[in-house]
Amino acid sequence: MHKEVLRSIAGIEIYPLISFGIFFLFFLGLIVYVFVANRQHLREMSEIPLQPDTADEATALSDSKLW
């Protein structure tokens, strides 16, 4: 039943190609980014969660609360 409904829609055959193209371009861009990215920057970003919070950052976060 679902196949007949989808076959009756004009121009539906282009959507799988478009979705595959978006999927392929996204992962191709991701692979290019991984190989081109600055290693030092990636290392610094990966260490951010391990760094202790400073008092300035803690007060800035508490001041920015909406309630």
Side-chain angles (χ1 to χ4, degrees):
M1 179 180 147
H2 298 293
K3 289 181 183 179
E4 296 303 321
V5 171
L6 291 177
R7 286 183 187 151
S8 67
I9 300 173
I12 192 94
E13 62 272 357
I14 193 71
Y15 290 108
L17 294 174
I18 291 171
S19 63
F20 177 73
I22 292 170
F23 175 81
F24 182 75
L25 290 175
F26 173 78
F27 283 104
L28 183 66
L30 191 63
I31 289 172
V32 168
Y33 173 75
V34 166
F35 285 112
V36 174
N38 184 355
R39 302 286 181 218
Q40 181 61 32
H41 175 70
L42 293 177
R43 191 171 298 112
E44 289 173 3
M45 293 297 112
S46 69
E47 293 173 359
I48 286 176
L50 303 175
Q51 296 173 354
D53 290 337
T54 62
D56 294 335
E57 291 176 352
T59 56
L61 290 175
S62 65
D63 292 341
S64 66
K65 290 184 181 176
L66 295 177
W67 49 54

